[in-house]
Amino acid sequence: MKILVANLGSTSLKWRLFQFSGREEALLHKGGFERVVDYAKAIEDCFIELKQSGQIRDENDLAAVGFKTIMARGVNGCVRLDERVVQAMEAFNGIAPAHNPPYITGIRLFAKRMPQVALVGLFETAFYQWLPEAAVRYAVPEEWHELGVRRWGFHGASHKFIAERSAELLGRADVAEHVRELYVSDRSGGVR
């Protein structure tokens, strides 16, 4: 199964195409464009490159397109990107103005271009989704919390990778939990 992972920045489109077979994965192609002003053209050019590389014949060769989405009201984790989720992302455009709008544009363009292909987003805040309520609440009025004022946590995918890779390199499973604690709490005990 082939999965395209698209990273849409405020002025860029980068991608990687992976082949998954059982537990094995292979990077088939990667590319990107900077100074993007027209995401429709950038996505079209992405598919031109993928086809010219011989990795896909057309969009139907893809099982899914994955996105490293930023944040959405009431949505977290890894989810199918339907219109409800995209609208929840739009609700947080003011919190993530450099990231959400390009992703929303790209997601809608991919959905229009290939409605039969699953679009999946892994929200950057997912790493923090199981924090206890006390860890995400600021000392602000309840109305503020209802409007979305809370500790969100960002760069979750990076933090997860750093925690897991540190444990692997040091040969100590406990290190992943210590590194995770450094990112999600005020504890500064570090790794011993």
Side-chain angles (χ1 to χ4, degrees):
M1 132 174 64
K2 293 181 180 179
I3 297 177
L4 179 66
V5 178
N7 184 348
L8 292 117
S10 57
T11 60
S12 66
L13 167 63
K14 297 175 184 137
W15 68 86
R16 291 183 183 214
L17 178 65
F18 293 93
Q19 171 74 50
F20 292 91
S21 178
R23 298 185 70 90
E24 300 295 317
E25 71 177 64
L27 174 64
L28 301 178
H29 189 272
K30 67 179 180 176
F33 304 114
E34 298 292 335
R35 296 180 188 86
V36 172
V37 294
D38 181 345
Y39 286 94
K41 180 174 178 358
I43 291 168
E44 175 64 31
D45 291 346
C46 165
F47 280 107
I48 289 170
E49 283 197 24
L50 290 170
K51 290 172 189 173
Q52 287 176 344
S53 72
Q55 298 301 333
I56 65 169
R57 291 181 312 272
D58 59 37
E59 292 86 347
N60 294 319
D61 286 348
L62 299 176
V65 179
F67 300 89
K68 187 180 63 92
T69 46
I70 306 303
M71 62 190 312
R73 179 182 290 281
V75 179
N76 208 341
C78 186
V79 300
R80 186 90 178 242
L81 296 170
D82 57 19
E83 188 57 29
R84 178 192 63 82
V85 174
V86 173
Q87 288 176 4
M89 291 173 67
E90 283 180 323
F92 276 5
N93 278 354
I95 298 173
H99 301 289
N100 271 12
Y103 267 103
I104 291 164
T105 298
I107 290 164
R108 285 188 170 137
L109 288 166
F110 275 101
K112 183 178 179 182
R113 181 182 185 108
M114 26 187 215
Q116 76 287 358
V117 175
L119 305 180
V120 178
L122 175 59
F123 284 87
E124 276 292 313
T125 54
F127 184 74
Y128 306 91
Q129 66 186 321
W130 293 288
L131 287 178
E133 183 71 13
V136 298
R137 299 243 359 188
Y138 287 117
V140 298
E142 179 64 26
E143 301 82 45
W144 291 20
H145 184 71
E146 290 169 5
L147 292 171
V149 175
R150 61 171 294 225
R151 181 175 291 124
W152 285 98
F154 293 101
H155 304 288
S158 297
H159 298 328
K160 181 179 185 297
F161 173 79
I162 290 167
E164 291 172 354
R165 184 69 173 137
S166 298
E168 179 185 332
L169 290 172
L170 295 172
R172 292 179 44 198
D174 66 310
V175 171
E177 181 60 23
H178 289 295
V179 172
R180 186 191 70 78
E181 287 176 5
L182 290 172
Y183 285 110
V184 300
S185 73
D186 293 330
R187 296 170 63 182
S188 57
V191 177
R192 294 180 220 357

